[in-house]
Amino acid sequence: GLFLSLGPCYSTQKVMIRALFLVVLFTLLVHGSYGQQDSAIRIPSTIGCGVGLFNVFDTPACLGDVEVVFYSHKKLWIFNPMGGILVANGTAMCLFAGISFPIRLARHLVIRLNFAPGYYVTFTGNNDLGFPLEFRTSLKLAWLFGNGSSLGLECSHISNAGLGSRNPGTETLTIAYEIPLAPRKQKKKQ
């Protein structure tokens, strides 16, 4: 596949992908803070389920990343609380809780930025990330449907930020579907 043919360029690719991710994240946060009236949106509390790849840029990537995430509609300043669980191919698990920042790009198109510290454990020694405290940052591009549900593609990075003696980090690529926990109120016809 594509990733296997890139062989010896892994370390350079990882650095470039992480740098690009941070630049996009910073740009979107700055845009969101200046254009808050236009881009900040109200989304109901949702629960989402996603499936995808774990260790996207490593060999071998594991098909079998499963995530369940709760997003609250409540506000903490400009952020929404969120939390969830990630299970990686049955060999590792991460419980996380943090903040989310949704930005509306168009009527039905939303970017959601997430940051969450979490407890990470490996069951088999595979996918060991070097420390039980890991930080999950993610960027999700989603299509909003009229009923409040959404379908999106999410890329996340999990790392211990150098707290452990090892910090291999990993990336996931997930397709996620979110459903609202309360139905949207219909506008009354006059």
Side-chain angles (χ1 to χ4, degrees), residues 63 156 188:
L63 180 60
S156 66
K188 293 181 181 178

Side-chain angles (χ1 to χ4, degrees), residues 61-133:
C62 304
L63 180 60
D65 168 46
V66 177
E67 300 178 13
V68 176
V69 181
F70 167 75
Y71 296 99
S72 174
H73 72 281
K74 298 196 182 294
K75 286 283 191 187
L76 297 171
W77 187 41
I78 60 171
F79 303 105
N80 298 98
M82 55 87 70
I85 184 171
L86 172 149
V87 177
N89 205 25
T91 63
M93 179 181 72
C94 185
L95 292 169
F96 55 89
I99 54 174
S100 177
F101 184 63
I103 301 170
R104 186 183 299 269
L105 298 178
R107 183 175 179 185
H108 292 283
L109 199 59
V110 170
I111 282 187
R112 192 187 281 272
L113 306 167
N114 302 310
F115 172 76
Y119 174 70
Y120 184 88
V121 62
T122 179
F123 306 120
T124 63
N126 293 340
N127 299 319
D128 182 9
L129 297 183
F131 202 69
L133 175 61

Side-chain angles (χ1 to χ4, degrees), residues 1-2 5 10 15 18 31 43 49 54 57 60 63-64 72 75 88 91 94-95 99 103 108 117 160 162 172 183:
L2 173 64
S5 66
Y10 273 93
V15 170
R18 289 175 184 170
H31 167 74
I43 295 178
C49 184
F54 188 81
F57 298 111
L63 180 60
S72 174
K75 286 283 191 187
T91 63
C94 185
L95 292 169
I99 54 174
I103 301 170
H108 292 283
N160 66 39
T172 65

Side-chain angles (χ1 to χ4, degrees), residues 147-159:
N147 64 358
S149 64
S150 68
L151 180 65
L153 185 64
E154 181 173 27
C155 180
S156 66
H157 172 70
I158 302 171
S159 168

